[in-house]
Amino acid sequence: MPLLFAVAALSGAALAFEILVMRLFAIIQWHHVAYMVISLALLGYGVAGTFLAFTKEWLKRRFDLAFAASAALFALSALASVTVVERIPFNPLEFGWDFDQQLNLAALYLLLALPFFFVASAIGLSYSHLTREIGGIYRADLLGAGLGSLAIIGLLFVLDPEDGLRAIGALGLIASALALLGAKGKGRLAGFACLAPLLALVLLWPGALIAPTPSEYKALSLALRVPGAEIIAQRTSPLGRLDLVESPTIPFRHAPGLSLASRLEPPEQLGLFTDGDSMQAITRFEGDLERLAYLDMQTGALPYHLLERPKTLLLGSGTGGGIWLARLHGAASIDAVELNPQTVELVKDRFAAFAGHVYEGPELSVHIAEARSFVQTTQASYDLIQLSLLDSFSAAAAGVHALNESATYTKEAFEAYLARLEEGGLLAITRWLRVPPRDALKLFATALQALEARGASEPENQLALIRGWKTTTLLVKNGAFEADEIAALRRFCTERWFDLAYYPGIEAGEVNRYNLLERPYLYLGTKALIGPQAQSFMGNYKYALEPATDDKPYFGHFLKWRALVELIGLRAKGGLALVEWGYVILLATLALALAASAVFILLPIPFLKRAARSRSQGPSSEGPGFARIAGYFFALGLAFLFIEIAFIQRFTLFLGHPLYAVAVVLAAFLVFAGIGSGFSQWLTKEAGGPSSAGYRGRAIAIAISGIILVALAHLVALPPLIESAVALPRAAKIALALLLIAPLAFFMGMPFPLGLSRIAHDRPALVPWAFGINGFASVISAVLATLLAIHLGFTVVVGLALALYLSAALVFGRAR
Amino acid sequence: MRARAGFLWVIGLLLFSVPASDVCADDAYAGDAYADARAAMVREIEGDVRATARWIGKGELDPRVMEAMGTVPRHEFVPESELRWAYANRPLPIGYGQTISQPYIVALMTDLLSPGSDDAVLEIGTGSGYQAAVLSRLVGEVYTIEIIPELAASARKRLARLGYQNVAARTGDGYYGWEEHAPFDGIVVTAAAGQIPPPLIEQLKPGGRMVIPVGSPFLTQELVLVEKDAAGAVTTRALLPVAFVPFTRAPE
């Protein structure tokens, strides 16, 4: 039936649009802003439910045309909203200073909510109109969304975001055409007559109007201001847009944290920007390693002064600076691990000659993988595992990483790194030094706990920490540090005017000499962390120093509530600079979503009540009340995404690359839930007739029991299963992931259509309202899941999801 | 809108009434329309300094610095669209991805240089020219270099128009400093960078001071003070411009 295809196409287009807008905003602004904007724009889904509650009778009478018009409006508004949004002078950096920015932000939400509003209007209307097909529509909705997400992730490797956006518009128009097939007479003709020019408009929409331009404050924009600087290569993928910049008149000279004792200037460099920020440099190499000696004047060079020709693993090899440093010190072998294949391609192929063929050599192996997964999978062992400093300082400074899940810096990750070290080998981690200190102390605490978990009896003898004026480097040794190593460490620091912060036996007199902090924070902090008062020290410290774990993988989250309150009090006196914006934005997003949901959910209730009274014939006054309906659909909306998000996180590590995880897990959930929904349709059609309310109630109870049982089994069995299957080839891992997700998703696809078809039967006027509530809950869910995971962990998020499913079954699963 | 247009008109009138030659520009502004706003800004800076006294090591800044802050017409250095914020204690956009720092931060940075009346000071990153104008009232010679040609040109014109005659400005690469006029008693590097160019450290006199604001645009997170002692040894000091201690209680 064409309408089901129309629903699938439209739903796919909407999900693709969501992912694409995230990408666009990550290029224009920063990804935490992208996250907020898209979360709130999705409120358009919920608002459509409210809108339909008022208008559905009128729209139902011209269903096919209304659907087709909504789909066409989606297509148009998708392109138009992006066009306008890119011209709003929104500058999140001024957010704390300037009230106008808040108005700009509100305009962004409203504009981007439009396309979602139109999609949800079309789909919500289908549920109200074709009440006997609810299971089938939901199946089409989910399958379409699943395929849409897979398609856009694939397409973003080959298409520019602009072309991706045009394709999404076209898909929306295809959905519109499919719906028109069901219409009759003049309307149908007129509809098709409109679609042809619309298609031309969408396909010919000027790229210049929708191409993302990075904010003028991003590093790429600043670099391009320099006379003569230009982009000489560009790559785009779902992992980010890469811009390679040549700056012939004023060189980049990228050498973060370079020692003040150094007189060395880096050779010519090309700047590689990811999403317009986070610069790395490709350094010209013409055979003279001496020209690269400046690399040895950074804190990250420390481990090479303690080891002889180490077998080295570089996690995050990027543009290859770490490889040169390893070669400078004659590393016996180098395994270079990099997440982004396009980065490696640029350095290894296109600019190989410039880069001195850095990615080639008999001692070097290159691996495209996520750092942690690589370590988890490899059987090799190393003398040195080096974690590079790849994120930009300004991004780190503004706390935009607070929401980044990262399996790289968790306690379990440290255990995995340590397990791959040879006896006496070193793990070296370099980070930006932020004042007041955060990262370095959290890393230190994480290393301590990991060492303890591996049974070290005196972990404090296996750690060393140094700092320059801008960076810190932590060493964790597989074994206790020896006197000659400590001598080498002190020599390294003295020659470079770096400060000692910790080594076994450090004295108060030798810290805080070259780069003075108001107090020797790192020395005092590390000393407290190895002492008996570690817990109370962490409790009293104003930043969160508790190590990240796989269950709470937020290394970048440092903010404590009481510090936030204090800093906002100090906002005009410099406090704004210390606020962690990623987290604040998360809170603001949640608050706004809650407020909007409350308004739009409550708004139509009096109207719906009146409508129900005036048409009190039939079963309409007998079904479940407003509170039960709201409770049921709100709980389902929260729970579905809680589980989905938790599983994406679980499988990221397993599948080895975040893109595979998002694509596989998202698609698997949507597709198998779609199949479950189709099954529920079959169940209710079989049942039919007057007993169906009770029948559906039982079906809901069974489906939710299924969800709870399978999810509980996952909580228990998944970690060991994943552990034992981690070394399988990727195809087998993907198959296993699908197999594991299928039964859970199958059951999860059932409660929504079963509940909705029950309402369609008992109280049809409330169908769009219920649909809208589910939409609001989904938006809140995505934001809330992150907040809960930061503070309580993903296990709790899954547990809460199950409690929500259980309560949904209790309010709705009974026959009456 | 109407009030703003009125403002602009007054400013325009004032501009044209500035005597062209030997009178120092600042005197022309002694009774200008912004005098009250500027005085309020100075009081606010004094308040912020007192509130952060423990962190910056003093309860008040050098009175000469405060006097300069109270004289330099900041509204001349901000774009028209930001005029209403000219004397607000906040950073402002000046175009080209650059900002003019928060007055409190400018005062703090200037004070950290311990400017002496015969000093030669080098600034990397002219921006709008505001920092150079403040410095010009305090030291003998100011040399300022800007990388973005458009900003450099407009700042040079502005500084000349306002009569800051002891400021030399040029466009170009700040990495190598300004060899002909080196060494310097003070250097301000307002360009964001993960490194301090070695030539700048070389061009710092023994006993000289260099100040580097660190952070993202609009948000100065810390000020790094680089000091070179008489023997040429270099130390840095990270100063937080906000009254915030991470330790609730001192660890033992």
Side-chain angles (χ1 to χ4, degrees), chain A residues 502-581:
Chain A
Y502 179 82
Y503 66 81
I506 191 166
E507 303 279 339
E510 46 186 341
V511 303
N512 218 21
R513 279 190 179 169
Y514 302 102
N515 306 286
L516 309 173
L517 299 173
E518 189 224 350
R519 303 181 57 195
Y521 286 123
L522 287 179
Y523 166 74
L524 294 171
T526 50
K527 206 170 135 212
L529 285 170
I530 57 168
Q533 302 298 314
Q535 278 311 317
S536 80
F537 169 72
M538 285 201 267
N540 286 328
Y541 202 68
K542 281 191 192 154
Y543 289 101
L545 300 179
E546 284 76 14
T549 60
D550 280 353
D551 198 41
K552 298 184 200 174
Y554 298 95
F555 178 79
H557 174 68
F558 291 96
L559 199 67
K560 287 187 175 178
W561 278 83
R562 79 190 136 99
L564 179 63
V565 172
E566 186 179 342
L567 288 173
I568 288 180
L570 292 168
R571 62 182 284 282
K573 300 182 184 71
L576 273 185
L578 296 185
V579 171
E580 209 159 84
W581 288 100

Side-chain angles (χ1 to χ4, degrees), chain A residues 91 94 97 100 216-217 250 253 257 260 262-263 265 397 514-516 518 537 540-542 570 572-573 577, chain B residues 48 54 84 90 93 96-97 102 173 175-176 194-195 202 218 221 235-238 241 243 245-246 248-249:
Chain A
N91 178 18
E94 274 189 281
W97 300 110
D100 285 356
E216 62 172 314
Y217 301 101
I250 299 179
R253 305 175 185 114
L260 298 185
S262 166
R263 293 287 171 272
E265 183 181 346
Y514 302 102
N515 306 286
L516 309 173
E518 189 224 350
F537 169 72
N540 286 328
Y541 202 68
K542 281 191 192 154
L570 292 168
K573 300 182 184 71
Chain B
D48 285 355
R54 224 202 96 189
R84 63 193 161 138
R90 53 163 286 192
Y96 308 96
Q102 187 182 0
D173 186 359
Y175 187 85
Y176 299 107
Q195 62 156 314
E202 270 166 34
F218 294 96
Q221 195 161 36
T235 53
T236 71
R237 188 185 298 268
V245 233
T248 310
R249 281 200 307 264

Side-chain angles (χ1 to χ4, degrees), chain B residues 20-42:
Chain B
S21 58
D22 54 358
V23 183
C24 180
D26 298 330
D27 299 336
Y29 286 90
D32 69 36
Y34 287 99
D36 289 349
R38 196 156 48 242
M41 178 188 86
V42 167

Side-chain angles (χ1 to χ4, degrees), chain A residues 425-498:
Chain A
L426 293 174
L427 166 66
I429 306 171
T430 299
R431 301 283 303 175
W432 294 107
L433 171 66
R434 292 198 278 170
V435 182
R438 279 151 268 185
D439 311 49
L441 288 176
K442 190 184 266 198
L443 281 181
F444 192 87
T446 312
L448 263 177
Q449 287 198 5
L451 286 168
E452 276 162 12
R454 287 181 52 80
S457 54
E458 288 170 333
E460 67 275 16
N461 289 337
Q462 300 179 242
L463 293 161
L465 179 66
I466 65 161
R467 65 179 172 87
W469 73 278
K470 203 79 210 85
T471 56
T472 64
T473 295
L474 173 72
L475 295 186
V476 190
K477 188 182 168 190
N478 186 12
F481 278 105
E482 320 252 339
D484 59 330
E485 290 168 325
I486 288 172
L489 175 114
R490 294 169 64 166
R491 198 162 50 240
F492 177 86
C493 288
T494 311
E495 287 166 5
R496 289 163 185 76
W497 303 345
F498 292 151

Side-chain angles (χ1 to χ4, degrees), chain A residues 369-456:
Chain A
E370 192 272 327
R372 166 79 179 282
S373 305
F374 177 84
V375 170
Q376 209 93 341
T377 321
T378 184
Q379 301 299 317
S381 52
Y382 301 93
D383 301 313
L384 171 62
I385 299 179
Q386 177 113 335
L387 264 150
S388 323
L389 176 69
L390 289 179
D391 50 348
S392 78
F393 177 76
S394 68
V400 310
H401 297 304
L403 307 182
N404 279 15
E405 286 159 21
S406 167
T408 312
Y409 293 107
T410 65
K411 171 175 162 266
E412 292 86 346
F414 278 42
E415 289 178 51
Y417 304 145
L418 291 170
R420 301 262 56 93
L421 281 183
E422 295 278 4
E423 185 67 39
L426 293 174
L427 166 66
I429 306 171
T430 299
R431 301 283 303 175
W432 294 107
L433 171 66
R434 292 198 278 170
V435 182
R438 279 151 268 185
D439 311 49
L441 288 176
K442 190 184 266 198
L443 281 181
F444 192 87
T446 312
L448 263 177
Q449 287 198 5
L451 286 168
E452 276 162 12
R454 287 181 52 80

Side-chain angles (χ1 to χ4, degrees), chain A residues 249-381:
Chain A
T249 31
I250 299 179
F252 285 111
R253 305 175 185 114
H254 184 66
L258 185 71
S259 154
L260 298 185
S262 166
R263 293 287 171 272
L264 303 171
E265 183 181 346
E268 186 189 346
Q269 292 177 329
L270 301 173
L272 183 68
F273 298 83
T274 304
D275 281 341
D277 227 16
S278 301
M279 191 183 105
Q280 309 175 53
I282 305 181
T283 305
R284 183 187 283 285
F285 181 71
E286 290 168 328
D288 181 11
L289 274 174
E290 276 303 300
R291 290 281 284 134
L292 301 177
Y294 73 96
L295 293 169
D296 200 43
M297 299 302 279
Q298 294 168 279
T299 58
L302 171 63
Y304 293 102
H305 293 254
L306 275 63
L307 296 164
E308 281 286 325
R309 296 176 46 79
K311 275 185 286 173
T312 300
L313 171 63
L314 290 176
L315 297 175
S317 54
T319 46
I323 300 175
W324 285 131
L325 180 62
R327 286 192 176 137
L328 206 55
H329 290 279
S333 70
I334 307 171
D335 275 344
V337 177
E338 169 57 41
L339 185 71
N340 194 333
Q342 293 179 330
T343 304
V344 174
E345 182 263 317
L346 278 172
V347 184
K348 190 166 178 256
D349 302 327
R350 176 84 191 273
F351 293 92
F354 182 94
H357 301 275
V358 60
Y359 266 113
E360 291 159 36
E363 84 289 29
L364 178 81
S365 326
V366 187
H367 312 268
I368 303 297
E370 192 272 327
R372 166 79 179 282
S373 305
F374 177 84
V375 170
Q376 209 93 341
T377 321
T378 184
Q379 301 299 317
S381 52

